[in-house]
């Protein structure tokens, strides 16, 4: 596009854009640069060697405050230099060069390889109209875009035009749905194997036009507030995600039980129904850890109350469920019933804690309880007040909270079809701890602020146990406190397949703990669809079935014996994988790298995977290719570089090409990469049911093979005091020999393990001899019987060698196989 065409884009929508002008002068104060452009001042801050922040507000000196989404203010000792050359100011960090062009202001950033990776338009970098501020960023050659949080459509967002406005979207989600419950104004650009990320920290409605209908510029726009963004250098996508989560925070380790299977219906509405459902899981031997009690648990939808007609003795119910291995979770919504006889309404009104208009009137909106008022979570005092109420819930034995409707959602007749009608009035004035701002400016933050309050409340009252929170709404940083599910999907095959790239992009947007409602929330599911969805869910971080009111039952046994058996087997597989999945969560809590990964995260130099939206990796070793079509047993699968083994048959495949996968209804295509080790624990009906004495390791030997296993108690914060253990597993092939090592690195968490069962897979012939620490161990004819001694045997059919060794806990053990 030529410059005129670009300038015209503003005019198309009837708005005159004013461009940021020339730099009159600039000042440097350590790592902060101030550019004076007429009345407008632009701040450029070197936050770290690889992160550059830019802040601007038309005609003002913008504040450098951040939203609650951002928790990192920069490295304290970051060093940078600057000089002037021609018409530019050149800022050098440890690795980047930031060039600020002066006539008019524009910005270009070069990586350590000397290549420019970020560039605004030379003449139209930043501009504004009465309604919006915008920035034009050059799209690089063959650039692909990822991230952008919870969005419909394919993995690669190139050519998409989406906006960010937390919305309770009950209509079926599809590619026209630009706004859902969560807003993450962050994208990753990948061009020719090199990536960078950009976070636009602005909680008003923002727009991300990633090159719709043209290939030259991405347009970022904000509707209120200042223009405040961070550019994060990669070039690895993993590095971008990791640095993005340094900016916005990593997740805490979740309680292990929250990684098990979860079951919800809106609503299991009576004590009897809840007991019936829970009892059925146990009776049928289907593992389950969590049961939800949705909004019907409340007295006429009043938060922090109980409906004693439906649930006569909640303490007893919750205690009995716990006895049976279930954790109960209840819904807490932000809308507080306007009822002068209801204590929390009275209390909040007296304190002035509900959202008000400028004239002092309290905003009233309709939700489940009828006329409702909304706590102003932008005030620390209000968050504290609300958090303290959670004791009412935890005193009943509840350990998890589900924050729903926190966009916040307000029911109202749709006027001119505008989506804002779904939330509170835009001129509500949030007190915002002394920086009052309208709802229009802060909307996308509301859910996060509520969840912060919930987290503090739960953490405080659970006395050392890890809280579990599920949130529907969110903003960057939500991962610090909550898991997020993708709201009211439908029982459509299309929504099974759309859920995959949605979750993958949420993972790339810093949220590792994500999932879809399995089987679909609205509409009646069926046996085949439900089964395929659960098979997928086993490998998704958050594993929950959830369905709406007035529908046919959607529990694992709802579709007859055949589907029940398959679904049960797959839920059991999830429980076998829990140590591995927990390990991936540990990794996410340290590095920010998601549990469920798009292929492009691990293979960013392979153009074939740039838009793979129907396959993913669990960690880096298990490739999952869900079946997302009815009546289908075959599908195309792309295996990236490497050797891959079919999980079921052990068949060997050479990657870097396409293949036809075969998966009858009792399978989902699964491949394990050569060189992987996967820990598998005994199946349990719920986390903590059994004392686990043996850990099985599935080993797919390759040249390099290693695994670092993190373990802790899975439920408290003792790990923060160092109570955890780290064990390294290594496997090497050396000519005709195979060497395996277990080496404990840190053993401050005492587990109950007594032995390991090593399962070397894809072995063609039996070993001549197996030695443990130099001593020959006995060969057995089969693995049957509970033998506590060291032994080995070769399973001809499975093509696997099993070796059982005792866990010596503190010293390194060597296993030697000779072929
Ligand atoms: O619109 O609490 O997305 O999961 O079951 C209904 C009742 C309100 C919406 C949630 C859904 C939940 C339901 N809620």
């Amino acid at each position: 596009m030529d410059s005129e065409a670009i300038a015209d884009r503003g005019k198309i929508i009837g708005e005159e854009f004013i461009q940021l002008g020339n730099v009159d002068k600039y000042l440097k104060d350590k790592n902060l640069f101030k550019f004076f452009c007429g009345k407008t001042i632009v701040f450029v801050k070197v936050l770290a060697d690889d992160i550059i922040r830019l802040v601007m507000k038309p005609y003002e000196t913008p504040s450098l405050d951040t939203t609650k989404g951002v928790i990192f203010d920069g490295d304290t000792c970051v060093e940078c230099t600057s000089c002037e050359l021609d018409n530019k100011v050149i800022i050098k960090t440890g690795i980047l060069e930031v060039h600020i062009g002066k006539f008019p202001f524009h910005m270009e950033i070069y990586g350590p390889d000397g290549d420019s990776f970020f560039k605004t338009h030379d003449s139209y970098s930043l501009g504004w109209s009465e309604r919006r501020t915008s920035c034009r960023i050059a799209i690089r050659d063959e650039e692909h875009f990822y991230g952008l949080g919870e969005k419909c459509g394919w993995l690669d967002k190139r050519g998409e035009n989406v906006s960010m406005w937390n919305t309770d979207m009950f209509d079926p989600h599809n590619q026209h749905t630009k706004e859902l419950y969560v807003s993450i104004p962050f994208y990753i650009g990948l061009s020719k194997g090199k990536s960078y990320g950009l976070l636009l920290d602005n909680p008003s409605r923002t727009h991300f036009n990633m090159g719709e209908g043209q290939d030259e510029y991405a347009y970022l726009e904000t509707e209120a507030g200042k223009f405040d963004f961070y550019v994060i250098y990669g070039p690895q996508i993993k590095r971008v995600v990791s640095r993005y989560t340094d900016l916005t925070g990593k997740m805490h380790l979740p309680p292990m039980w929250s990684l098990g299977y979860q079951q919800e219906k809106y609503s299991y509405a009576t004590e009897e129904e809840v007991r019936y459902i829970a009892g059925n899981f146990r009776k049928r031997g289907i593992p389950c850890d969590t049961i939800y009690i949705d909004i019907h648990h409340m007295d006429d939808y009043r938060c922090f109350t109980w409906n004693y007609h439906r649930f006569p003795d909640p303490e007893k119910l919750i205690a009995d469920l716990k006895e049976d291995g279930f954790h109960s979770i209840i819904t807490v919504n932000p809308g507080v019933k306007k009822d002068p006889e209801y204590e929390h309404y009275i209390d909040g009104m007296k304190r002035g804690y509900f959202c008000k208009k400028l004239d002092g009137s309290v905003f009233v909106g309709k939700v489940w309880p009828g006329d409702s008022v909304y706590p102003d979570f932008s005030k620390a005092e209000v968050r504290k007040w609300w958090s303290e109420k959670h004791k009412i819930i935890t005193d009943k034995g509840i350990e998890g909270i589900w924050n729903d409707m926190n966009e916040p959602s307000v029911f109202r007749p749709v006027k001119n079809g505008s989506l804002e009608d779904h939330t509170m009035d835009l001129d509500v004035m949030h007190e915002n701890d002394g920086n009052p701002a309208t709802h229009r400016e802060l909307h996308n933050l509301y859910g996060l602020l509520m969840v912060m309050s919930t987290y503090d409340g739960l953490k405080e009252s659970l006395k050392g146990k890890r809280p579990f929170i599920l949130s529907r709404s969110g903003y960057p940083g939500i991962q610090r406190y909550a898991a997020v599910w993708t709201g009211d999907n439908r029982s459509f095959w299309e929504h099974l397949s759309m859920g995959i790239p949605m979750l993958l992009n949420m993972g790339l947007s810093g949220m590792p703990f994500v999932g879809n409602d399995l089987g679909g929330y609205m509409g009646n599911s069926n046996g085949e669809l439900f089964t395929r969805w659960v098979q997928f869910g086993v490998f998704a971080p958050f594993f929950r079935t959830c369905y709406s009111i007035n529908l046919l039952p959607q529990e694992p046994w709802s579709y007859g014996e055949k589907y029940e058996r398959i679904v049960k087997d797959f839920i059991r597989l999830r429980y076998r994988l829990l140590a591995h999945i927990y390990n991936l969560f540990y990794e996410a809590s340290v590095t920010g790298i998601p549990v469920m990964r798009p292929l492009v995260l691990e293979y960013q130099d392979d153009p074939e995977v740039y838009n793979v939206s129907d396959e993913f990796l669990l960690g880096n070793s298990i490739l999952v290719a869900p079946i997302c079509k009815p009546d289908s047993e075959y599908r195309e699968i792309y295996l990236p570089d490497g050797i891959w083994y079919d999980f079921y048959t052990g068949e060997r495949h050479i990657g870097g090409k396409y293949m036809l996968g075969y998966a009858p209804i009792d399978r989902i295509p699964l491949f394990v990469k050569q060189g992987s080790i996967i820990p598998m624990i005994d199946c349990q009906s719920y986390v903590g049911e059994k004392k686990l004495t043996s850990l099985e390791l599935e080993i797919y030997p390759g040249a390099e093979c290693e695994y670092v296993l993190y373990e802790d108690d899975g439920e408290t914060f003792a790990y923060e005091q160092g109570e955890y253990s780290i064990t390294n597993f290594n496997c090497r092939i050396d000519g005709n020999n195979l060497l395996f090592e277990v080496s404990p690195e840190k053993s401050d968490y005492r587990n109950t393990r007594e032995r390991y069962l090593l399962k070397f897979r894809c072995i063609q012939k039996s070993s001549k001899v197996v030695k443990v620490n130099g001593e020959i161990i006995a060969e057995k004819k089969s693995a049957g019987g509970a033998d506590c001694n060291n032994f080995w045997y070769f399973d001809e059919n499975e093509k696997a060698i099993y070796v059982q060794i005792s866990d010596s806990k503190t010293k390194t053990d060597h296993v030697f196989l000779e072929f």
Side-chain angles (χ1 to χ4, degrees), residues 2-21:
D2 59 26
S3 302
E4 241 168 79
I6 289 165
D8 272 352
R9 283 183 81 92
K11 291 178 191 147
I12 293 170
I13 53 160
E15 284 178 64
E16 202 62 57
F17 270 88
I18 293 172
Q19 301 304 325
L20 179 61

Side-chain angles (χ1 to χ4, degrees), residues 40 72 82 135 167 179-180 205 289 329 336 372 391 438 461 468 509 570 646 664 737 751 761:
T40 304
F72 176 69
S82 68
C135 180
T167 303
E179 298 168 345
L180 286 168
R205 178 178 267 129
D289 264 271
I329 294 183
V336 171
S372 303
K391 202 168 167 311
T438 59
S461 55
F468 171 76
S509 308
F570 274 91
D646 184 302
N737 303 328
N751 59 40
R761 289 199 61 172

